[in-house]
Amino acid sequence: MASYATEQIRTVALVGHGAVGKTTLAEALLVKSGALPAAGSVERGTTVSDFDPLEKQYLHSLRASLLHCDTPDARIHLIDTPGFPDFIGQAIGVLDAVETAAVVVNAQTGIEMITSRMMAWAADRRLCRVVIVNKIDAENADPERVLGAIQAAFGKECLPINLPADGGQRVVDCFFNPSGTSDFSSVADAHRALVDQVVEVDEELMSLYLEQGEVEPSQLHAPFEKALREGHLVPVCFVSARTGAGVAELLDVFVRLLPNPTEGNPPRFTKGEGEAAVEFDSVPDASRHVLAHVFKVVMDPFVGKLGVFRVHQGTVTRDTQLFVGEGRKAFKVGHLFRLQGGKNIEIDRAVPGDLAAVAKVDEIQFDCVLHDSHDEDHIHMAPLAFPTPMHGVAIEPKRRGDEGRISDVLARMTAEDPTLKLEHDATLNETVLWGLGELHLRSVLERMASQFKLEVSTRPPRVPYRETITTAAEGHHRHKKQTGGAGQFGEVYLKIEPLPRGAGFEFVNTVKGGAIPTALIPAVQKGVEQVLAEGPVAGFPLHDVRVNVYDGKFHPVDSKEVAFVAAGKKAFLDAIASAKPIVLEPIVSVEINCPAASMGDVAGDLSSRRGQVTGTQTLQAGSLAVTGFAPLVELEGYAARLKSMTGGQGGWTMALSHYEQAPPTLQQQLAAEYAKHRRHEEDT
């Protein structure tokens, strides 16, 4: 399609659990639309999506990949996403770029761990949702059972829009076609259920339907889109990406039934900062000011940094001047690209609904907003809820002189992936890379070695313990120093009290009568915050505490900022000593998929790790999802243990839940190690 309008665009993210066939389905759609002469193979490493050498080595997707195809009536932007839990951040990150999340399910295995999560994430972002049941002709596939499981898990609004026929060799439409035969159910019943569900959102149409007993499909378009927007309807499509059964019908569903950018729910923009921020609705109008959102950053080895964005308003062309966020200086779009897997195709323009990219703009970061007028300053996309990275490795270079390169390379890696986090512990001189799992981190380290020729040594990092106080207390310190010249003087009185878990830190100034000049209060706060970095029990960060500075003294000549930094720090330490400080340990929520026969072993093992099982759910015959909680420190090496207990059939994910007081024996051990470390520092 040489020229196209926003109304002709469809944007779809293929999401779902790993190995359900999303990449193969994307290939089949490209072939069916004519964008590709023949389908590639994941096993041979020849797909358009999985172009990265590591993806070819691992035989599954590691990063979200953009694809595009044209039909006579529409341009379809597809995003193929990874489905393994370690790489789920890539799937979450693209949700703000599409109108529709197509959740792909395996007809053999049914609902899996990531299926439920992607359905929930997509609903939270107000996306229209479609469920695609793939591999309908595979051995042991049971599409009827899977449809029942989908409806049981996600609601009766999940209705088939087509059904398998001839043993999964083809599918029969149930929306435009009121009758026919299928492998199960009745096409007429499925058609009636769809129409019944759609007309419920339009009272006038429902009255007409009740009168006539039928309505024309053309009358259903607007209410169909409304039902999708409201989550009142989640169409279920059946397909075999391997044989092509149902692929043409799926493409037809995309074109004729899925929303275009003017029909989907508006993106979740806000304008303003903090509590003053209000909802902001962009308008998918090509003639308005530009508003675009960067949902992906790629460090391309050939063209450099690529900012990949969705245009929500206005038109971006070559030579367009764009601002990044609140930046005061605009950059000029020198080259505008459309990404087709690993290929960057230069284009002339991008209209609302388009996905495009610009290169070599250092200021562009993940989640930033691009615009062409200062009227759009302070506009942000509502933040996505990414899982907290809880798997870590401490890294150091193998070769002398690579210390500086580590920071540069890791900065590039974390710029691409919002679920990678880099921390440096100055006390231990330890650099830790945090990710969502062992495979996640391994892929990053392998990429560092292959793409950037940077070899590193790794070891387990310290567990991210915290410290807090358990009672209120008061502290006082007078800092007085006379050196012959100008002296130093500062005196601080403060009170501290514990805050609820997760509240962080709060600094309050209630000094009256100028006992401490207002200009010196920030110095007191600076001294207090120096203590937060290294708690008194075992040297871990101090959290969940309120500090109230209520009195002090100053000298008109000798009181300087440095004096009140020292006084604030010592007064805080004095108060902490009386506030019964403790160590908190991170507790993670876990979800474990295992064969039902392994349930006893899994539950018993979790209990032996000071964990607890909070629930189980049957996924499909012979398979369970076990949910629970456990201390992070107890889960070292758990992947190998789970593999042993389940004969290699188990999988698991974890996410930070909360912090709890560590057991006394663990606190004593950590305190002893910290004391030994402090003595060693003093001796050296």
Side-chain angles (χ1 to χ4, degrees), residues 205-510:
L205 189 63
M206 179 182 282
S207 299
L208 183 66
Y209 177 54
L210 292 174
E211 275 181 36
Q212 299 180 353
E214 186 60 87
V215 289
E216 291 297 319
S218 59
Q219 296 174 281
L220 291 171
H221 182 83
F224 188 94
E225 301 303 335
K226 184 179 180 183
L228 287 179
R229 285 195 302 273
E230 295 178 355
H232 189 68
L233 173 65
V234 179
V236 180
C237 307
F238 292 86
V239 70
S240 170
R242 183 182 60 86
T243 65
V247 174
E249 290 80 358
L250 180 61
L251 202 60
D252 193 49
V253 167
F254 282 7
V255 173
R256 299 176 70 185
L257 297 177
L258 292 193
N260 65 51
T262 69
E263 295 170 323
N265 285 319
R268 300 183 62 183
F269 283 117
T270 60
K271 186 168 186 177
E273 306 296 336
E275 294 182 359
V278 295
E279 285 191 14
F280 177 86
D281 288 335
S282 58
V283 181
D285 182 340
S287 65
R288 296 234 184 172
H289 281 309
V290 171
L291 192 64
H293 174 247
V294 176
F295 64 90
K296 183 177 174 63
V297 170
V298 180
M299 294 299 181
D300 190 290
F302 302 106
V303 300
K305 186 178 189 178
L306 275 173
V308 189
F309 58 88
R310 155 74 186 254
V311 180
H312 290 281
Q313 181 177 292
T315 301
V316 179
T317 62
R318 283 182 287 187
D319 298 333
T320 296
Q321 301 276 340
L322 293 176
F323 297 97
V324 181
E326 283 79 59
R328 309 310 297 171
K329 184 179 179 182
F331 72 90
K332 187 169 99 171
V333 177
H335 298 276
L336 191 63
F337 299 105
R338 184 171 72 240
L339 275 57
Q340 185 78 327
K343 295 181 180 178
N344 303 326
I345 302 166
E346 194 150 0
I347 57 176
D348 294 325
R349 66 169 191 159
V351 300
D354 270 331
L355 311 183
V358 291
K360 299 178 181 177
V361 181
D362 291 338
E363 294 80 10
I364 284 181
Q365 304 293 334
F366 171 78
D367 201 33
C368 70
V369 169
L370 307 179
H371 54 98
D372 64 353
S373 163
H374 285 305
D375 292 342
E376 278 73 47
D377 282 351
H378 305 288
I379 291 179
H380 310 279
M381 187 71 77
L384 287 158
F386 288 99
T388 303
M390 295 298 297
H391 290 262
V393 287
I395 59 176
E396 55 188 30
K398 283 187 176 180
R399 292 190 297 265
R400 188 184 298 274
D402 275 350
E403 291 82 3
R405 288 193 64 221
I406 279 188
S407 297
D408 177 57
V409 170
L410 287 177
R412 298 189 188 192
M413 307 294 277
T414 54
E416 284 189 320
D417 190 340
T419 58
L420 275 179
K421 186 173 69 172
L422 192 63
E423 285 185 350
H424 182 73
D425 189 323
T427 306
L428 295 178
N429 193 28
E430 180 180 74
T431 298
V432 180
L433 183 65
W434 297 96
L436 296 184
E438 295 168 14
L439 183 60
H440 187 200
L441 293 175
R442 189 167 79 236
S443 70
V444 172
L445 296 175
E446 288 183 12
R447 189 168 164 221
M448 287 170 62
S450 61
Q451 184 173 328
F452 298 100
K453 312 303 179 189
L454 180 61
E455 299 279 351
V456 296
S457 300
T458 64
R459 54 183 169 79
R462 293 204 307 174
V463 173
Y465 294 106
R466 292 178 177 177
E467 296 185 24
T468 193
I469 58 172
T470 55
T471 64
E474 295 196 18
H476 161 251
H477 184 77
R478 173 183 287 190
H479 177 80
K480 188 174 183 181
K481 191 174 183 182
Q482 199 71 38
T483 57
Q488 295 180 12
F489 180 84
E491 188 168 5
V492 171
Y493 291 85
L494 52 77
K495 300 174 184 177
I496 64 174
E497 60 182 305
L499 292 174
R501 294 281 186 269
F505 167 68
E506 186 178 328
F507 183 85
V508 181
N509 169 28
T510 58

Side-chain angles (χ1 to χ4, degrees), residues 465 538 583 585 610 631 633-634 662-672:
Y465 294 106
V583 175
E585 65 174 343
R610 296 194 284 123
V633 68
E634 300 288 347
T665 52
L666 178 57
Q667 296 208 48
Q668 291 165 10
Q669 175 191 334
L670 294 171

Side-chain angles (χ1 to χ4, degrees), residues 42-301:
V42 172
E43 292 74 21
R44 293 194 299 271
T46 54
T47 64
V48 178
S49 295
D50 293 353
F51 58 88
D52 185 272
L54 279 180
E55 291 177 315
K56 296 178 182 182
Q57 176 185 324
Y58 285 16
L59 299 181
H60 63 77
S61 302
L62 302 178
R63 297 190 284 181
S65 181
L66 275 66
L67 309 165
H68 309 270
C69 61
D70 292 342
T71 71
D73 300 310
R75 162 155 289 176
I76 300 171
H77 295 305
L78 282 175
I79 306 180
D80 180 25
T81 67
F84 287 97
D86 285 28
F87 306 101
I88 199 64
Q90 290 282 318
I92 298 171
V94 306
L95 293 180
D96 287 331
V98 299
E99 266 73 51
T100 304
V103 183
V104 185
V105 177
N106 186 338
Q108 298 167 295
T109 54
I111 296 171
E112 297 176 87
M113 188 186 309
I114 298 302
T115 313
S116 301
R117 295 190 177 192
M118 291 312 308
M119 286 289 283
W121 274 315
D124 180 66
R125 299 311 276 191
R126 302 185 302 193
L127 297 183
C128 301
R129 292 170 295 166
V130 174
V131 177
I132 301 173
V133 180
N134 189 24
K135 305 186 181 183
I136 57 174
D137 61 337
E139 187 178 354
N140 300 322
D142 192 343
E144 182 177 11
R145 177 187 58 78
V146 170
L147 177 61
I150 289 167
Q151 292 175 333
F154 308 121
K156 294 299 183 183
E157 61 268 25
C158 299
L159 294 173
I161 207 160
N162 55 43
L163 287 166
D166 298 340
Q169 298 305 304
R170 65 183 183 91
V171 301
V172 56
D173 171 57
C174 303
F175 184 68
F176 298 104
N177 172 36
S179 63
T181 58
S182 69
D183 289 343
F184 63 88
S185 184
S186 155
V187 172
D189 288 347
H191 174 77
R192 192 175 307 109
L194 278 167
V195 176
D196 287 349
Q197 191 77 0
V198 170
V199 298
E200 282 182 0
V201 302
D202 187 319
E203 290 185 9
E204 189 176 323
L205 189 63
M206 179 182 282
S207 299
L208 183 66
Y209 177 54
L210 292 174
E211 275 181 36
Q212 299 180 353
E214 186 60 87
V215 289
E216 291 297 319
S218 59
Q219 296 174 281
L220 291 171
H221 182 83
F224 188 94
E225 301 303 335
K226 184 179 180 183
L228 287 179
R229 285 195 302 273
E230 295 178 355
H232 189 68
L233 173 65
V234 179
V236 180
C237 307
F238 292 86
V239 70
S240 170
R242 183 182 60 86
T243 65
V247 174
E249 290 80 358
L250 180 61
L251 202 60
D252 193 49
V253 167
F254 282 7
V255 173
R256 299 176 70 185
L257 297 177
L258 292 193
N260 65 51
T262 69
E263 295 170 323
N265 285 319
R268 300 183 62 183
F269 283 117
T270 60
K271 186 168 186 177
E273 306 296 336
E275 294 182 359
V278 295
E279 285 191 14
F280 177 86
D281 288 335
S282 58
V283 181
D285 182 340
S287 65
R288 296 234 184 172
H289 281 309
V290 171
L291 192 64
H293 174 247
V294 176
F295 64 90
K296 183 177 174 63
V297 170
V298 180
M299 294 299 181
D300 190 290

